[in-house]
Amino acid sequence: MEIAQVPGATALSPPVSPVSENAATQISSDFEVFLQMLTAQMQYQDPLNPIDSTDYATQLATFSGVEQAVLTNDLLEQLTAQMTLGGLSEMASWVGRDARSSAPVFFEGQPVELFPQSVGAAESYEIVVRDAAGAEVQTIAFAPGRESVTWAGVQPNGTPFAQGVYSFQVVGKTGDEVVSQAGVYAYSTVSEVRVDGGQTVVVMGGGVTVPSAQVTALRDAGD
């Protein structure tokens, strides 16, 4: 079984808005308007109280600085977009493999192996199973120290749970009081890697999405 740990998978730089095709044209147009206004200012100035040449130089320098800032921002946007596309190409190898995260899991009738995270001290522990609506549907007894627990996806009467998305959480109790909680890792097959809402996300079964930075391990599907 091959497992590639990715403890701190780096989220790719989020894409920015596409560079405007009219940016250069707009700058050129604005500069022409600026020169016309500057010329008019010189033409109609009071000959007895002319404007100091230093003021002209300051105005030109200010406009030039703004122009350069706009062009620099456009260049950075292009570079960022290129880096994002390159990163997605590298992550294409994730598609078809199993990724481990604490995101919900799409249940298709097969047992799901769960990897509970560490939880604080308590008298008893259990893994709470919730459906897509967030309703608790089952609890599984859990003893700290076990590496993994298998959820069979079967109700007490032997009837399998309906196909769908389920989430898991470790809960520690002292008496009837919940004193600690933690997430649960599970593997799901990656179907797509994409940029969504400015963030690189991994798409799993059932359309479950998780930020790429929250993927903690990869392995070949079925291992």
Side-chain angles (χ1 to χ4, degrees), residues 36-64:
Q36 292 175 8
M37 295 176 64
L38 185 63
T39 301
Q41 183 181 17
M42 297 173 63
Q43 183 178 358
Y44 294 105
Q45 65 180 322
D46 184 353
L48 299 179
N49 185 27
I51 299 175
D52 192 332
S53 60
T54 303
D55 293 338
Y56 290 127
T58 300
Q59 294 176 32
L60 285 170
T62 300
F63 187 88
S64 177

PDB file of all heavy atoms in Angstrom, residues 36-64:
ATOM      1  N   GLN A  36      -3.888  66.930 -22.374  1.00  0.00           N
ATOM      2  CA  GLN A  36      -4.756  68.016 -22.833  1.00  0.00           C
ATOM      3  C   GLN A  36      -5.074  68.978 -21.684  1.00  0.00           C
ATOM      4  O   GLN A  36      -5.053  70.203 -21.856  1.00  0.00           O
ATOM      5  CB  GLN A  36      -6.050  67.447 -23.419  1.00  0.00           C
ATOM      6  CG  GLN A  36      -5.844  66.683 -24.719  1.00  0.00           C
ATOM      7  CD  GLN A  36      -7.126  66.030 -25.210  1.00  0.00           C
ATOM      8  OE1 GLN A  36      -8.195  66.262 -24.658  1.00  0.00           O
ATOM      9  NE2 GLN A  36      -7.017  65.226 -26.251  1.00  0.00           N
ATOM     10  N   MET A  37      -5.378  68.421 -20.523  1.00  0.00           N
ATOM     11  CA  MET A  37      -5.678  69.264 -19.364  1.00  0.00           C
ATOM     12  C   MET A  37      -4.444  70.048 -18.932  1.00  0.00           C
ATOM     13  O   MET A  37      -4.533  71.231 -18.552  1.00  0.00           O
ATOM     14  CB  MET A  37      -6.187  68.398 -18.215  1.00  0.00           C
ATOM     15  CG  MET A  37      -7.517  67.715 -18.494  1.00  0.00           C
ATOM     16  SD  MET A  37      -8.031  66.621 -17.151  1.00  0.00           S
ATOM     17  CE  MET A  37      -8.235  67.804 -15.831  1.00  0.00           C
ATOM     18  N   LEU A  38      -3.278  69.418 -18.986  1.00  0.00           N
ATOM     19  CA  LEU A  38      -2.045  70.089 -18.597  1.00  0.00           C
ATOM     20  C   LEU A  38      -1.731  71.225 -19.566  1.00  0.00           C
ATOM     21  O   LEU A  38      -1.305  72.320 -19.155  1.00  0.00           O
ATOM     22  CB  LEU A  38      -0.895  69.085 -18.560  1.00  0.00           C
ATOM     23  CG  LEU A  38       0.454  69.608 -18.048  1.00  0.00           C
ATOM     24  CD1 LEU A  38       0.324  70.061 -16.592  1.00  0.00           C
ATOM     25  CD2 LEU A  38       1.527  68.527 -18.156  1.00  0.00           C
ATOM     26  N   THR A  39      -1.951  70.955 -20.870  1.00  0.00           N
ATOM     27  CA  THR A  39      -1.716  71.992 -21.880  1.00  0.00           C
ATOM     28  C   THR A  39      -2.652  73.174 -21.671  1.00  0.00           C
ATOM     29  O   THR A  39      -2.243  74.346 -21.763  1.00  0.00           O
ATOM     30  CB  THR A  39      -1.901  71.422 -23.291  1.00  0.00           C
ATOM     31  OG1 THR A  39      -0.987  70.329 -23.488  1.00  0.00           O
ATOM     32  CG2 THR A  39      -1.648  72.481 -24.353  1.00  0.00           C
ATOM     33  N   ALA A  40      -3.942  72.852 -21.409  1.00  0.00           N
ATOM     34  CA  ALA A  40      -4.906  73.927 -21.161  1.00  0.00           C
ATOM     35  C   ALA A  40      -4.534  74.718 -19.915  1.00  0.00           C
ATOM     36  O   ALA A  40      -4.690  75.952 -19.869  1.00  0.00           O
ATOM     37  CB  ALA A  40      -6.311  73.344 -21.015  1.00  0.00           C
ATOM     38  N   GLN A  41      -4.031  74.028 -18.902  1.00  0.00           N
ATOM     39  CA  GLN A  41      -3.617  74.691 -17.676  1.00  0.00           C
ATOM     40  C   GLN A  41      -2.473  75.678 -17.957  1.00  0.00           C
ATOM     41  O   GLN A  41      -2.455  76.804 -17.435  1.00  0.00           O
ATOM     42  CB  GLN A  41      -3.168  73.644 -16.658  1.00  0.00           C
ATOM     43  CG  GLN A  41      -2.768  74.213 -15.299  1.00  0.00           C
ATOM     44  CD  GLN A  41      -2.313  73.132 -14.328  1.00  0.00           C
ATOM     45  OE1 GLN A  41      -1.998  72.028 -14.747  1.00  0.00           O
ATOM     46  NE2 GLN A  41      -2.269  73.462 -13.062  1.00  0.00           N
ATOM     47  N   MET A  42      -1.530  75.252 -18.808  1.00  0.00           N
ATOM     48  CA  MET A  42      -0.415  76.130 -19.159  1.00  0.00           C
ATOM     49  C   MET A  42      -0.883  77.294 -20.023  1.00  0.00           C
ATOM     50  O   MET A  42      -0.423  78.425 -19.865  1.00  0.00           O
ATOM     51  CB  MET A  42       0.659  75.322 -19.895  1.00  0.00           C
ATOM     52  CG  MET A  42       1.292  74.198 -19.071  1.00  0.00           C
ATOM     53  SD  MET A  42       2.407  73.165 -20.037  1.00  0.00           S
ATOM     54  CE  MET A  42       3.662  74.348 -20.498  1.00  0.00           C
ATOM     55  N   GLN A  43      -1.812  77.003 -20.949  1.00  0.00           N
ATOM     56  CA  GLN A  43      -2.288  78.021 -21.893  1.00  0.00           C
ATOM     57  C   GLN A  43      -3.073  79.131 -21.197  1.00  0.00           C
ATOM     58  O   GLN A  43      -2.959  80.312 -21.562  1.00  0.00           O
ATOM     59  CB  GLN A  43      -3.141  77.353 -22.967  1.00  0.00           C
ATOM     60  CG  GLN A  43      -3.637  78.314 -24.049  1.00  0.00           C
ATOM     61  CD  GLN A  43      -4.440  77.586 -25.114  1.00  0.00           C
ATOM     62  OE1 GLN A  43      -4.593  76.357 -25.061  1.00  0.00           O
ATOM     63  NE2 GLN A  43      -4.928  78.327 -26.082  1.00  0.00           N
ATOM     64  N   TYR A  44      -3.859  78.746 -20.210  1.00  0.00           N
ATOM     65  CA  TYR A  44      -4.749  79.726 -19.587  1.00  0.00           C
ATOM     66  C   TYR A  44      -4.270  80.183 -18.200  1.00  0.00           C
ATOM     67  O   TYR A  44      -5.032  80.767 -17.445  1.00  0.00           O
ATOM     68  CB  TYR A  44      -6.151  79.139 -19.469  1.00  0.00           C
ATOM     69  CG  TYR A  44      -6.800  78.895 -20.815  1.00  0.00           C
ATOM     70  CD1 TYR A  44      -6.902  77.596 -21.318  1.00  0.00           C
ATOM     71  CD2 TYR A  44      -7.271  79.960 -21.586  1.00  0.00           C
ATOM     72  CE1 TYR A  44      -7.462  77.367 -22.561  1.00  0.00           C
ATOM     73  CE2 TYR A  44      -7.841  79.736 -22.827  1.00  0.00           C
ATOM     74  CZ  TYR A  44      -7.943  78.432 -23.318  1.00  0.00           C
ATOM     75  OH  TYR A  44      -8.507  78.215 -24.545  1.00  0.00           O
ATOM     76  N   GLN A  45      -3.024  79.937 -17.885  1.00  0.00           N
ATOM     77  CA  GLN A  45      -2.511  80.393 -16.601  1.00  0.00           C
ATOM     78  C   GLN A  45      -2.371  81.917 -16.590  1.00  0.00           C
ATOM     79  O   GLN A  45      -2.266  82.559 -17.637  1.00  0.00           O
ATOM     80  CB  GLN A  45      -1.167  79.731 -16.297  1.00  0.00           C
ATOM     81  CG  GLN A  45      -0.048  80.128 -17.254  1.00  0.00           C
ATOM     82  CD  GLN A  45       1.273  79.459 -16.925  1.00  0.00           C
ATOM     83  OE1 GLN A  45       1.596  79.309 -15.760  1.00  0.00           O
ATOM     84  NE2 GLN A  45       2.033  79.062 -17.947  1.00  0.00           N
ATOM     85  N   ASP A  46      -2.353  82.477 -15.434  1.00  0.00           N
ATOM     86  CA  ASP A  46      -2.213  83.926 -15.270  1.00  0.00           C
ATOM     87  C   ASP A  46      -0.772  84.310 -15.590  1.00  0.00           C
ATOM     88  O   ASP A  46       0.156  83.889 -14.897  1.00  0.00           O
ATOM     89  CB  ASP A  46      -2.552  84.313 -13.835  1.00  0.00           C
ATOM     90  CG  ASP A  46      -2.536  85.811 -13.609  1.00  0.00           C
ATOM     91  OD1 ASP A  46      -2.140  86.547 -14.530  1.00  0.00           O
ATOM     92  OD2 ASP A  46      -2.922  86.236 -12.491  1.00  0.00           O
ATOM     93  N   PRO A  47      -0.547  85.083 -16.655  1.00  0.00           N
ATOM     94  CA  PRO A  47       0.838  85.443 -17.017  1.00  0.00           C
ATOM     95  C   PRO A  47       1.545  86.240 -15.928  1.00  0.00           C
ATOM     96  O   PRO A  47       2.776  86.262 -15.872  1.00  0.00           O
ATOM     97  CB  PRO A  47       0.659  86.271 -18.298  1.00  0.00           C
ATOM     98  CG  PRO A  47      -0.745  86.781 -18.233  1.00  0.00           C
ATOM     99  CD  PRO A  47      -1.533  85.707 -17.538  1.00  0.00           C
ATOM    100  N   LEU A  48       0.761  86.929 -15.070  1.00  0.00           N
ATOM    101  CA  LEU A  48       1.375  87.695 -13.994  1.00  0.00           C
ATOM    102  C   LEU A  48       1.682  86.824 -12.768  1.00  0.00           C
ATOM    103  O   LEU A  48       2.407  87.239 -11.870  1.00  0.00           O
ATOM    104  CB  LEU A  48       0.449  88.857 -13.585  1.00  0.00           C
ATOM    105  CG  LEU A  48       0.143  89.871 -14.695  1.00  0.00           C
ATOM    106  CD1 LEU A  48      -0.797  90.953 -14.170  1.00  0.00           C
ATOM    107  CD2 LEU A  48       1.435  90.503 -15.220  1.00  0.00           C
ATOM    108  N   ASN A  49       1.074  85.653 -12.758  1.00  0.00           N
ATOM    109  CA  ASN A  49       1.309  84.727 -11.640  1.00  0.00           C
ATOM    110  C   ASN A  49       1.373  83.297 -12.180  1.00  0.00           C
ATOM    111  O   ASN A  49       0.487  82.477 -11.919  1.00  0.00           O
ATOM    112  CB  ASN A  49       0.189  84.867 -10.599  1.00  0.00           C
ATOM    113  CG  ASN A  49       0.463  84.022  -9.368  1.00  0.00           C
ATOM    114  OD1 ASN A  49       1.603  83.723  -9.032  1.00  0.00           O
ATOM    115  ND2 ASN A  49      -0.621  83.625  -8.693  1.00  0.00           N
ATOM    116  N   PRO A  50       2.384  83.003 -13.011  1.00  0.00           N
ATOM    117  CA  PRO A  50       2.467  81.680 -13.652  1.00  0.00           C
ATOM    118  C   PRO A  50       2.660  80.549 -12.638  1.00  0.00           C
ATOM    119  O   PRO A  50       3.175  80.748 -11.547  1.00  0.00           O
ATOM    120  CB  PRO A  50       3.689  81.816 -14.559  1.00  0.00           C
ATOM    121  CG  PRO A  50       4.524  82.856 -13.883  1.00  0.00           C
ATOM    122  CD  PRO A  50       3.555  83.844 -13.283  1.00  0.00           C
ATOM    123  N   ILE A  51       2.213  79.372 -13.069  1.00  0.00           N
ATOM    124  CA  ILE A  51       2.357  78.186 -12.214  1.00  0.00           C
ATOM    125  C   ILE A  51       3.818  77.762 -12.174  1.00  0.00           C
ATOM    126  O   ILE A  51       4.513  77.766 -13.198  1.00  0.00           O
ATOM    127  CB  ILE A  51       1.477  77.035 -12.737  1.00  0.00           C
ATOM    128  CG1 ILE A  51       0.002  77.449 -12.720  1.00  0.00           C
ATOM    129  CG2 ILE A  51       1.680  75.773 -11.916  1.00  0.00           C
ATOM    130  CD1 ILE A  51      -0.925  76.418 -13.329  1.00  0.00           C
ATOM    131  N   ASP A  52       4.277  77.427 -11.020  1.00  0.00           N
ATOM    132  CA  ASP A  52       5.661  76.987 -10.837  1.00  0.00           C
ATOM    133  C   ASP A  52       5.903  75.713 -11.646  1.00  0.00           C
ATOM    134  O   ASP A  52       5.083  74.785 -11.658  1.00  0.00           O
ATOM    135  CB  ASP A  52       5.914  76.717  -9.349  1.00  0.00           C
ATOM    136  CG  ASP A  52       7.413  76.548  -9.046  1.00  0.00           C
ATOM    137  OD1 ASP A  52       8.146  76.115  -9.953  1.00  0.00           O
ATOM    138  OD2 ASP A  52       7.804  76.835  -7.904  1.00  0.00           O
ATOM    139  N   SER A  53       7.036  75.669 -12.350  1.00  0.00           N
ATOM    140  CA  SER A  53       7.370  74.498 -13.165  1.00  0.00           C
ATOM    141  C   SER A  53       7.472  73.232 -12.318  1.00  0.00           C
ATOM    142  O   SER A  53       7.268  72.118 -12.801  1.00  0.00           O
ATOM    143  CB  SER A  53       8.689  74.739 -13.905  1.00  0.00           C
ATOM    144  OG  SER A  53       9.746  74.973 -12.966  1.00  0.00           O
ATOM    145  N   THR A  54       7.784  73.412 -11.050  1.00  0.00           N
ATOM    146  CA  THR A  54       7.874  72.251 -10.158  1.00  0.00           C
ATOM    147  C   THR A  54       6.524  71.559 -10.028  1.00  0.00           C
ATOM    148  O   THR A  54       6.447  70.328  -9.925  1.00  0.00           O
ATOM    149  CB  THR A  54       8.357  72.677  -8.760  1.00  0.00           C
ATOM    150  OG1 THR A  54       9.620  73.341  -8.881  1.00  0.00           O
ATOM    151  CG2 THR A  54       8.490  71.470  -7.835  1.00  0.00           C
ATOM    152  N   ASP A  55       5.442  72.348 -10.059  1.00  0.00           N
ATOM    153  CA  ASP A  55       4.099  71.765  -9.970  1.00  0.00           C
ATOM    154  C   ASP A  55       3.813  70.888 -11.180  1.00  0.00           C
ATOM    155  O   ASP A  55       3.200  69.825 -11.065  1.00  0.00           O
ATOM    156  CB  ASP A  55       3.053  72.879  -9.872  1.00  0.00           C
ATOM    157  CG  ASP A  55       3.152  73.645  -8.560  1.00  0.00           C
ATOM    158  OD1 ASP A  55       3.708  73.073  -7.604  1.00  0.00           O
ATOM    159  OD2 ASP A  55       2.667  74.789  -8.499  1.00  0.00           O
ATOM    160  N   TYR A  56       4.267  71.352 -12.376  1.00  0.00           N
ATOM    161  CA  TYR A  56       4.077  70.535 -13.573  1.00  0.00           C
ATOM    162  C   TYR A  56       4.824  69.201 -13.441  1.00  0.00           C
ATOM    163  O   TYR A  56       4.309  68.135 -13.781  1.00  0.00           O
ATOM    164  CB  TYR A  56       4.588  71.286 -14.808  1.00  0.00           C
ATOM    165  CG  TYR A  56       3.746  72.468 -15.205  1.00  0.00           C
ATOM    166  CD1 TYR A  56       4.325  73.720 -15.389  1.00  0.00           C
ATOM    167  CD2 TYR A  56       2.376  72.337 -15.418  1.00  0.00           C
ATOM    168  CE1 TYR A  56       3.572  74.819 -15.755  1.00  0.00           C
ATOM    169  CE2 TYR A  56       1.608  73.432 -15.785  1.00  0.00           C
ATOM    170  CZ  TYR A  56       2.206  74.681 -15.956  1.00  0.00           C
ATOM    171  OH  TYR A  56       1.450  75.764 -16.321  1.00  0.00           O
ATOM    172  N   ALA A  57       6.055  69.304 -12.977  1.00  0.00           N
ATOM    173  CA  ALA A  57       6.863  68.082 -12.826  1.00  0.00           C
ATOM    174  C   ALA A  57       6.224  67.124 -11.829  1.00  0.00           C
ATOM    175  O   ALA A  57       6.212  65.899 -12.039  1.00  0.00           O
ATOM    176  CB  ALA A  57       8.273  68.456 -12.368  1.00  0.00           C
ATOM    177  N   THR A  58       5.663  67.664 -10.765  1.00  0.00           N
ATOM    178  CA  THR A  58       5.012  66.823  -9.760  1.00  0.00           C
ATOM    179  C   THR A  58       3.798  66.118 -10.345  1.00  0.00           C
ATOM    180  O   THR A  58       3.568  64.919 -10.088  1.00  0.00           O
ATOM    181  CB  THR A  58       4.592  67.675  -8.555  1.00  0.00           C
ATOM    182  OG1 THR A  58       5.755  68.290  -7.985  1.00  0.00           O
ATOM    183  CG2 THR A  58       3.894  66.829  -7.508  1.00  0.00           C
ATOM    184  N   GLN A  59       3.009  66.866 -11.131  1.00  0.00           N
ATOM    185  CA  GLN A  59       1.818  66.264 -11.749  1.00  0.00           C
ATOM    186  C   GLN A  59       2.200  65.141 -12.712  1.00  0.00           C
ATOM    187  O   GLN A  59       1.578  64.076 -12.731  1.00  0.00           O
ATOM    188  CB  GLN A  59       1.012  67.339 -12.481  1.00  0.00           C
ATOM    189  CG  GLN A  59       0.395  68.387 -11.563  1.00  0.00           C
ATOM    190  CD  GLN A  59      -0.323  69.491 -12.323  1.00  0.00           C
ATOM    191  OE1 GLN A  59      -0.869  69.259 -13.393  1.00  0.00           O
ATOM    192  NE2 GLN A  59      -0.315  70.694 -11.768  1.00  0.00           N
ATOM    193  N   LEU A  60       3.233  65.388 -13.526  1.00  0.00           N
ATOM    194  CA  LEU A  60       3.685  64.365 -14.465  1.00  0.00           C
ATOM    195  C   LEU A  60       4.201  63.130 -13.728  1.00  0.00           C
ATOM    196  O   LEU A  60       3.917  61.988 -14.117  1.00  0.00           O
ATOM    197  CB  LEU A  60       4.788  64.928 -15.366  1.00  0.00           C
ATOM    198  CG  LEU A  60       4.337  65.887 -16.473  1.00  0.00           C
ATOM    199  CD1 LEU A  60       5.537  66.561 -17.116  1.00  0.00           C
ATOM    200  CD2 LEU A  60       3.524  65.125 -17.527  1.00  0.00           C
ATOM    201  N   ALA A  61       4.965  63.352 -12.669  1.00  0.00           N
ATOM    202  CA  ALA A  61       5.511  62.227 -11.902  1.00  0.00           C
ATOM    203  C   ALA A  61       4.403  61.424 -11.243  1.00  0.00           C
ATOM    204  O   ALA A  61       4.448  60.186 -11.203  1.00  0.00           O
ATOM    205  CB  ALA A  61       6.492  62.753 -10.852  1.00  0.00           C
ATOM    206  N   THR A  62       3.388  62.123 -10.731  1.00  0.00           N
ATOM    207  CA  THR A  62       2.271  61.427 -10.076  1.00  0.00           C
ATOM    208  C   THR A  62       1.518  60.558 -11.062  1.00  0.00           C
ATOM    209  O   THR A  62       1.222  59.387 -10.793  1.00  0.00           O
ATOM    210  CB  THR A  62       1.305  62.449  -9.442  1.00  0.00           C
ATOM    211  OG1 THR A  62       2.013  63.217  -8.473  1.00  0.00           O
ATOM    212  CG2 THR A  62       0.139  61.734  -8.776  1.00  0.00           C
ATOM    213  N   PHE A  63       1.213  61.123 -12.238  1.00  0.00           N
ATOM    214  CA  PHE A  63       0.483  60.335 -13.230  1.00  0.00           C
ATOM    215  C   PHE A  63       1.317  59.153 -13.710  1.00  0.00           C
ATOM    216  O   PHE A  63       0.813  58.042 -13.879  1.00  0.00           O
ATOM    217  CB  PHE A  63       0.095  61.203 -14.425  1.00  0.00           C
ATOM    218  CG  PHE A  63      -0.801  60.493 -15.404  1.00  0.00           C
ATOM    219  CD1 PHE A  63      -2.177  60.505 -15.247  1.00  0.00           C
ATOM    220  CD2 PHE A  63      -0.267  59.774 -16.459  1.00  0.00           C
ATOM    221  CE1 PHE A  63      -3.010  59.840 -16.116  1.00  0.00           C
ATOM    222  CE2 PHE A  63      -1.096  59.088 -17.340  1.00  0.00           C
ATOM    223  CZ  PHE A  63      -2.470  59.124 -17.175  1.00  0.00           C
ATOM    224  N   SER A  64       2.620  59.396 -13.911  1.00  0.00           N
ATOM    225  CA  SER A  64       3.500  58.322 -14.362  1.00  0.00           C
ATOM    226  C   SER A  64       3.540  57.195 -13.333  1.00  0.00           C
ATOM    227  O   SER A  64       3.546  56.007 -13.681  1.00  0.00           O
ATOM    228  CB  SER A  64       4.905  58.868 -14.613  1.00  0.00           C
ATOM    229  OG  SER A  64       5.778  57.829 -14.986  1.00  0.00           O
TER     230      SER A  64
END
